[in-house]
Amino acid sequence: PNAISVYPMEELEDKARRDFEEAMAAYEVEFAEWQAKSKKKRDESDGGDNPKPVLPVRKVYTFNSSTGEAIPAQVNRCPEQSLLLLSDELAGAFKSANQYRGGKGSDDEDLLEYWSGSGKKTLRAGGITVDVKNVSLSIFGNIQPDVLAGFIGDGSDSNGKFARFDFVQQPVASTHLSLKDSPCTLTPTLSKLYAY
């Protein structure tokens, strides 16, 4: 699974991290200049035009854990960016829904809605905190068959949660490759594909 998910995304994550660090360094310089200009204009009682620099936003391609509110908040900050939840143990992702709200939130239901790629608008007492047309979230990971059976129970899947997943059971016998087989590295090709 790492060859088609983790490794290709590492290149994108590294680039996003570098881009953000560079943008933050430039922002700090611009912000200091803005503060100095603002103080000078206040001292001179001159209104003038001095727009405040915009804080950069870091792209996030993958994550391993999240709160229910963090996913739409990140999409709101960077609406053109799709997200991938990579979980080596999907059981943790399934168990974590509503953990910060004592089981009284709507994390499970929100994940069901994200499956269709629909939007999200969150209204709080202070106003709208999230307003996006689409939340593009994919979930990829591993889970042991017996652990998955504990989540599915009698198999009724009343809310359709597990029907939204494509489960692949790996064969018990391992594949043996000949030394004559040429190595195939998918990382560069998949990184370019995932960048779009």
Side-chain angles (χ1 to χ4, degrees):
N2 287 346
I4 63 169
S5 58
V6 176
Y7 303 149
M9 296 305 251
E10 284 177 348
E11 183 178 322
L12 299 176
E13 290 288 357
D14 289 344
K15 182 180 182 324
R17 193 175 296 109
R18 285 190 309 271
D19 289 349
F20 179 70
E21 288 169 0
E22 290 172 12
M24 276 303 293
Y27 167 80
E28 288 170 3
V29 169
E30 291 172 15
F31 187 75
E33 291 172 355
W34 173 81
Q35 281 184 315
K37 284 181 185 176
S38 296
K39 183 180 183 316
K40 182 179 178 186
K41 291 189 183 299
R42 282 194 305 269
D43 292 345
E44 296 173 356
S45 299
D46 178 19
D49 184 35
N50 188 28
K52 186 176 180 180
V54 177
L55 189 67
V57 174
R58 175 163 173 219
K59 282 188 175 184
V60 175
Y61 289 92
T62 64
F63 61 97
N64 304 106
S65 66
S66 169
T67 62
E69 292 180 346
I71 294 169
Q74 175 62 26
V75 174
N76 197 61
R77 287 188 292 271
C78 202
E80 78 284 354
Q81 186 63 51
S82 298
L83 298 172
L84 174 62
L85 168 59
L86 280 174
S87 179
D88 191 44
E89 291 293 337
L90 280 173
F94 294 150
K95 288 178 188 174
S96 68
N98 301 321
Q99 70 176 346
Y100 296 103
R101 302 179 198 173
K104 297 179 182 176
S106 63
D107 292 351
D108 260 349
E109 291 75 13
D110 290 342
L111 286 174
L112 294 175
E113 289 180 10
Y114 299 156
W115 180 80
S116 66
S118 58
K120 180 84 172 173
K121 187 179 284 188
T122 304
L123 182 62
R124 298 286 186 247
I128 294 174
T129 59
V130 171
D131 187 7
V132 291
K133 290 184 181 179
N134 303 99
V135 176
S136 298
L137 173 69
S138 294
I139 300 172
F140 185 86
N142 304 302
I143 191 167
Q144 298 298 321
D146 290 344
V147 175
L148 177 61
F151 285 107
I152 295 176
D154 65 2
S156 61
D157 195 20
S158 57
N159 66 359
K161 176 179 182 176
F162 294 103
R164 289 166 166 84
F165 285 86
D166 293 322
F167 292 102
V168 177
Q169 186 160 354
Q170 296 294 327
V172 176
S174 62
T175 303
H176 295 284
L177 300 175
S178 166
L179 293 175
K180 296 176 185 174
D181 294 333
S182 60
C184 177
T185 303
L186 298 172
T187 301
T189 303
L190 291 177
S191 290
K192 287 177 185 173
L193 176 67
Y194 295 160
Y196 297 101

